[in-house]
Amino acid sequence: EADIYQTPRYLVIGTGKKITLECSQTMGHDKMYWYQQDPGMELHLIHYSYGVNSTEKGDLSSESTVSRIRTEHFPLTLESARPSHTSQYLCASSDPQGVEKLFFGSGTQLSVL
Amino acid sequence: GIQVEQSPPDLILQEGANSTLRCNFSDSVNNLQWFHQNPWGQLINLFYIPSGTKQNGRLSATTVATERYSLLYISSSQTTDSGVYFCAGRETGGFKTIFGAGTRLFVKA
């Protein structure tokens, strides 16, 4: 099965802190994604990447930023966290060889106090 | 526009019962996938099913692409089947995968 890892699994921080959510995959996938999800609700795409040095914003406006310096690594950063950022953040990657099957990490549950 | 619609939104089953979940998708969506999100938030890809029928144990899925719908069948449901089931499709000629709103399933012991 997929090897895509997210850390931390849970994060509770105060307002105004800078945070970085880590995502790494060992499958060599070029395409990676960040989704935001409130509990039990639909997933919203906030960032995606075609490959190294390629990043795009998704459908849902987000104050976060991403970088893609290495194929396997796609971190997401919030410069100044606010309570409205409280949510689950899910990282995914897909095999570009025609199928585009999505594989997800375990997610980071972020709570901003 | 790009649409992926799921029904029913919520479903409660007695353990051992069978169920069918439906996903309707617009012309601008293809490459259907079904996912299960467990109560801990982990999303597992159940099926990649752009057309035809696939089976994996007690689960099976059928997509009729010409009629723009897909069905997920759960037979002999177990409490571990509880969670949210999402269908998703890729926008035609595009890059993004669009998710439906999900079906929240609770299986009672």
Side-chain angles (χ1 to χ4, degrees), chain A residues 9 31-33 35 37 40-43 45 48-50 58-59 88 90 98-102 104-106, chain B residues 31 33 35 37 40-48 84 86 90 94-102 104:
Chain A
R9 182 70 179 91
K31 296 178 181 175
M32 296 188 73
Y33 315 77
Y35 287 86
Q37 182 192 30
M41 305 300 287
E42 61 190 286
L43 281 71
L45 182 67
Y48 60 97
S49 168
Y50 292 98
D59 300 317
Q88 172 156 250
L90 290 155
V99 172
E100 300 284 1
K101 185 176 177 180
L102 274 180
F104 281 88
S106 299
Chain B
N31 290 19
Q33 303 181 56
F35 296 85
Q37 187 170 39
W40 296 272
Q42 176 72 55
L43 269 160
I44 302 297
N45 195 308
L46 298 174
F47 295 102
Y48 170 80
V84 186
F86 291 99
R90 189 174 60 160
F95 180 85
K96 302 175 206 174
T97 297
I98 310 298
F99 282 77
R104 277 149 286 283

Side-chain angles (χ1 to χ4, degrees), chain B residues 74-104:
Chain B
I74 303 174
S75 64
S76 303
S77 59
Q78 300 176 359
T79 56
T80 52
D81 295 332
S82 297
V84 186
Y85 290 81
F86 291 99
C87 74
R90 189 174 60 160
E91 56 179 357
T92 304
F95 180 85
K96 302 175 206 174
T97 297
I98 310 298
F99 282 77
T103 292
R104 277 149 286 283

Side-chain angles (χ1 to χ4, degrees), chain B residues 12-80:
Chain B
I12 300 174
L13 296 176
Q14 189 65 45
E15 193 171 30
N18 303 327
S19 66
T20 301
L21 282 57
R22 185 177 179 102
C23 175
N24 293 331
F25 53 97
S26 63
D27 288 345
S28 51
V29 172
N30 58 22
N31 290 19
L32 252 286
Q33 303 181 56
W34 282 96
F35 296 85
H36 174 227
Q37 187 170 39
N38 65 25
W40 296 272
Q42 176 72 55
L43 269 160
I44 302 297
N45 195 308
L46 298 174
F47 295 102
Y48 170 80
I49 187 160
S51 64
T53 297
K54 290 185 178 179
Q55 181 155 5
N56 184 3
R58 294 181 297 103
L59 302 181
S60 64
T62 295
T63 296
V64 183
T66 53
E67 298 185 23
R68 320 304 300 172
Y69 73 88
S70 184
L71 302 174
L72 178 70
Y73 305 96
I74 303 174
S75 64
S76 303
S77 59
Q78 300 176 359
T79 56
T80 52

